[in-house]
Amino acid sequence: EPEVTQTPSHQVTQMGQEVILRCVPISNHLYFYWYRQILGQKVEFLVSFYNNEISEKSEIFDDQFSVERPDGSNFTLKIRSTKLEDSAMYFCASRATSGGEQYFGPGTRLTVT
Amino acid sequence: ELKVEQNPLFLSMQEGKNYTIYCNYSTTSDRLYWYRQDPGKSLESLFVLLSNGAVKQEGRLMASLDTKARLSTLHITAAVHDLSATYFCAVDIIGSQGNLIFGKGTKLSVKP
């Protein structure tokens, strides 16, 4: 069964460093998303991406964040200068149609020290 | 701003018992999703409810949607230990590109 994959599974970085989180969505899906979940809290929407551009973004997704789909298969989330409060689990998700089921990847745990 | 509220947030129940988790949301939406999350794991899709009156069942779990009341329920029948997990409901806003707004989750613990 097709699935969303994410790498790395765990990333440790120092405050102020740049990180890139990678995702490979399901191959025939058209809508892509990033969410984050701070430990023990709810899942929060960051950004949606469709037709090679950002569709919507939340207040969390400030100028430190960017997304890219560089090669038609990978979907990346870049955090330019990480802060301690960026420590969270980051989930990538994809769906085939805007109203369909959204499939989540296994997540990347980001730890900022 | 769309708000999604779940209750209870914590639920401890014995095996064999029934219980219902409630999910209220604050603005018009006709698409509601239930996910399960085990500790340290990703989100597993349980149900997609796409219309008023929708009811779906899978094993001991049954989900329903009342869009007029802006309420969804997840009913657990004859709970077993394997159902222990955190359950999230999520709603997407009509007209959006499908980004989901999640509730805080209900942490379910089923004791033998």
Side-chain angles (χ1 to χ4, degrees):
Chain A
E1 186 177 328
E3 57 183 18
V4 178
T5 59
Q6 289 185 243
T7 54
S9 57
H10 190 190
Q11 172 96 43
V12 182
T13 189
Q14 288 192 324
M15 201 166 52
Q17 296 296 304
E18 174 182 288
V19 294
I20 297 176
L21 310 183
R22 290 183 167 79
C23 168
V24 178
I26 294 172
S27 64
N28 62 341
H29 284 189
L30 302 176
Y31 297 82
F32 313 113
Y33 307 85
W34 283 102
Y35 295 85
R36 79 170 186 192
Q37 185 180 33
I38 294 170
L39 185 63
Q41 298 188 23
K42 69 176 181 179
V43 178
E44 299 173 290
F45 166 73
L46 293 178
V47 65
S48 59
F49 193 87
Y50 170 72
N51 202 24
N52 284 320
E53 60 183 19
I54 290 175
S55 314
E56 292 178 76
K57 55 185 180 179
S58 71
E59 290 177 354
I60 302 167
F61 194 88
D62 61 22
D63 292 344
Q64 293 298 312
F65 291 87
S66 62
V67 289
E68 218 177 26
R69 190 159 157 78
D71 57 12
S73 62
N74 290 285
F75 180 50
T76 62
L77 174 69
K78 183 194 290 187
I79 309 175
R80 254 181 283 281
S81 176
T82 50
K83 308 181 189 72
L84 293 176
E85 54 265 36
D86 292 328
S87 295
M89 183 77 95
Y90 288 80
F91 292 106
C92 172
S94 70
R95 60 178 15 158
T97 61
S98 65
E101 189 171 351
Q102 198 164 134
Y103 294 87
F104 282 77
T108 293
R109 180 171 298 284
L110 177 64
T111 303
V112 182
T113 62
Chain B
E1 180 192 344
L2 175 61
K3 290 183 182 176
V4 181
E5 293 185 355
Q6 284 181 243
N7 71 84
L9 297 182
F10 297 93
L11 177 55
S12 180
M13 55 191 298
Q14 286 197 309
E15 281 191 329
K17 299 292 187 184
N18 305 331
Y19 208 84
T20 300
I21 299 170
Y22 297 89
C23 175
N24 288 92
Y25 52 96
S26 62
T27 193
T28 304
S29 176
D30 57 4
R31 297 198 290 257
L32 189 133
Y33 308 81
W34 284 97
Y35 288 89
R36 168 181 171 145
Q37 186 179 42
D38 292 294
K41 303 290 186 183
S42 187
L43 295 153
E44 175 191 351
S45 177
L46 293 174
F47 300 108
V48 180
L49 303 169
L50 296 177
S51 61
N52 186 41
V55 177
K56 291 196 175 179
Q57 182 161 6
E58 180 75 33
R60 299 174 189 273
L61 301 178
M62 184 172 71
S64 66
L65 177 62
D66 180 345
T67 57
K68 291 184 173 55
R70 299 179 183 168
L71 170 69
S72 179
T73 60
L74 180 67
H75 186 72
I76 303 155
T77 301
V80 292
H81 179 68
D82 284 353
L83 290 179
S84 298
T86 299
Y87 293 85
F88 290 93
C89 66
V91 176
D92 61 24
I93 303 169
I94 288 179
S96 78
Q97 288 292 337
N99 39 291
L100 299 180
I101 308 299
F102 282 80
K104 289 185 177 180
T106 296
K107 187 171 182 179
L108 172 66
S109 175
V110 181
K111 301 185 187 310

